[in-house]
Amino acid sequence: MPVGVPKVPFRSPGEEDAAWVDVINRLYRERLLFLGQEIDSEISNQLVGLMVYLSIEDNTLDIFLFINSPGGWIIPGIAIYDTMQFVDSEIHTICMGLAASMGSFILVGGEITKRLAFPHARVMIHQPASSFYESQTGECILESEEILNLRETITRIYVQRTGNNFFTISEDMERDIFMSAVEARDYGIIDLISVTL
């Protein structure tokens, strides 16, 4: 039997009585965002909208983005990354579980010194992929050129944000590279590993 979305009491400023709201919306009000699924246009648009709204509401307060994602579509992931760089609020990225593929790209996009992972989290990087095998030959060539351009863009961002050189990142992206939290810190994808109490 499904439990449903838990509800918690929340009192809006100026209200006498608390209203029951779902826990995710309550956490949003505390500037805690969650990426807990494959990245697609829908979740990308939701996160972009929330980051812009929260930054407009108060750009002096930080935003915390918790990531447990197997990756997903390239362009929606880049939209999230670009918004993180655009908003005035500093974005903390926190890896819990797995940040793979585009998930690790978003993880590395957090404010430098404010990117962290839980001790047993896993991070995975690899090159962008496409489904061009389903296209006609002419479209396949155009799509492969675009994938190469996106790969270079993503590689350059990893270089900028990790401190590794272009050759190292490019070589490592040739295959799936899985990292523990310690390895991700040493690689420069995260800055800190949270401590358990």
Side-chain angles (χ1 to χ4, degrees):
M1 179 169 163
V3 178
V5 178
K7 301 241 182 218
V8 294
F10 176 73
R11 185 183 348 224
S12 297
E15 296 287 323
E16 284 187 28
D17 296 325
W20 288 89
V21 299
D22 66 82
V23 71
I24 298 298
N25 282 319
R26 178 68 181 101
L27 292 170
Y28 289 164
R29 293 171 198 226
E30 297 299 325
R31 307 176 80 81
L32 305 173
L33 308 180
F34 295 87
L35 173 58
Q37 65 187 64
E38 183 176 328
I39 299 161
D40 60 19
S41 294
E42 184 177 349
I43 190 67
S44 175
N45 289 335
Q46 289 173 3
L47 288 172
V48 164
L50 285 165
M51 286 187 283
V52 169
Y53 172 78
L54 292 171
S55 185
I56 290 169
E57 185 178 59
D58 188 346
N59 64 5
T60 64
L61 297 175
D62 293 354
I63 297 171
F64 298 82
L65 177 58
F66 290 84
I67 302 167
N68 182 20
S69 174
W73 297 3
I74 299 169
I75 300 301
I78 290 174
I80 295 169
Y81 173 86
D82 284 345
T83 303
M84 292 167 62
Q85 308 314 306
F86 171 75
V87 297
D88 290 331
S89 296
E90 292 186 350
I91 310 288
H92 297 244
T93 49
I94 301 107
C95 177
M96 51 181 197
L98 174 69
S101 187
M102 195 49 60
S104 69
F105 182 72
I106 293 167
L107 176 64
V108 81
E111 186 70 29
I112 293 177
T113 74
K114 297 183 178 184
R115 306 170 300 182
L116 66 100
F118 289 169
H120 302 293
R122 303 293 291 170
V123 175
M124 188 271 281
I125 64 170
H126 68 177
Q127 64 183 324
S130 175
S131 58
F132 60 81
Y133 58 85
E134 297 173 357
S135 301
Q136 296 176 356
T137 306
E139 292 173 9
C140 176
I141 293 168
L142 292 174
E143 191 168 333
S144 63
E145 286 176 20
E146 181 60 18
I147 289 294
L148 290 174
N149 290 336
L150 287 170
R151 180 195 164 115
E152 182 162 343
T153 298
I154 289 169
T155 302
R156 291 197 183 284
I157 290 170
Y158 272 115
V159 166
Q160 174 192 9
R161 307 216 34 106
T162 66
N164 290 311
N165 64 54
F166 188 89
F167 178 78
T168 300
I169 299 287
S170 187
E171 283 293 307
D172 289 346
M173 287 179 62
E174 286 294 322
R175 61 199 182 285
D176 293 353
I177 301 286
F178 284 89
M179 300 176 221
S180 67
V182 171
E183 291 166 331
R185 183 192 60 204
D186 295 343
Y187 199 85
I189 292 175
I190 62 168
D191 307 299
L192 304 165
I193 300 170
S194 71
V195 293
T196 54
L197 301 175

